[in-house]
Amino acid sequence: AAAVAAAGVTACGTIALSMRLEEDVKLDYKDVLLRPKRSTLKSRSEVDLNRTFKFRHSKREWTGVPMVVANMDTVGTFEMANEMARHGCIVAIHKHYTVDEWKAFAAENPKTAPYVCASAGTSKTDMAKLDAILDACPSVTTICLDVANGYSEFFIGAVKRVRERWPNHTIMAGNVVTNEMTEELIMHGADIVKVGIGPGSVCTTRKQTGVGYPQLSAVIECADAAHGLGGFVCADGGITCPGDAAKAFGGGADFIMMGGMFAGTEEAAGATVVRDGKKYKQFYGMSSNTAMKKHAGGVAEYRSSEGKTVEVPHKGPVAGIVLDLLGGLRSACTYIGAATIKEMPRRTTFIRVSQQLNQIFGSHDLGKGG
């Protein structure tokens, strides 16, 4: 009997499981609303959405609106960067531009440089290209080290190497969803940790692998860990509307990263198609068949696609999307009594709900209002 028990087999022949089950509730943006609170603000115009950061490792300061366009090749474009910089927002430029294209962009758009990140993965080719871009464009001082799975020892080593190579550059690294890995990345050189596995609109990681974490809880837990070490977090994915952005900031996110919100705009890339007189633009995940066929010749046999390709209705200039996001954030701040984005976590109380919206007339939306 002792031998059977040691082997992990019970007397009735079933195998004793060693897995763990966390039973506390984890939340997504759809599971909560923000509780309104007494406010001294007279108008949305009194809310300041700019924030100044001083980063732990680079020692640099940055001031702007902490919204980031994702480093996907349909939205993380130079055209997007020029427009977003006018609003004080950041674009993580996708990693598929050439070094010469970077040099031309940096030379022609010096005012945009503080609002872009140079993106890279962890391959030798990516690292060499990142070095070449940063050498050629000294005005670009922010790096986005981006992998789908930030839990590998190899990725931690890559963050450490980039920090040693570029000690005065601000590094955003991810993605992870738990406090211990947030701490690990900050301790090895990240200034900002990117948080999110699977919440994106064209990400199928959760479907393909069963791996993920509800995004709001991930943001809350990772932000708590990061702030204890003087680091910051960027909530990456799952934001479908201005209200979700407000919830992310209320949950402790310092930056928010979005892809789908900016898809379909004039500044976005992606093939344009016309159907029944209506224009659409292609939008796809960077682990999709489309992206891997475009950049890697196809999906390798040892892996599967973890993204999808969709067609998004043409939205016109991205300025309209940005102004709607900023307006929603200002309004959220007035409801909870926060004069700045930095104040939002201190003024936030989340209420768990089973319904967000009354959709009885949702298919006949003729305007906005309460």
Side-chain angles (χ1 to χ4, degrees), residues 140 182 254 256 260 275 314 318 351:
V140 176
T182 299
D254 304 289
I256 56 173
R275 287 202 174 86
H314 197 281
V318 74
I351 308 165

Side-chain angles (χ1 to χ4, degrees), residues 27-38:
L27 302 170
D28 256 318
Y29 298 132
K30 66 179 177 58
D31 298 318
V32 300
L33 288 170
L34 295 165
R35 183 183 185 274
K37 295 181 179 178
R38 185 190 298 272

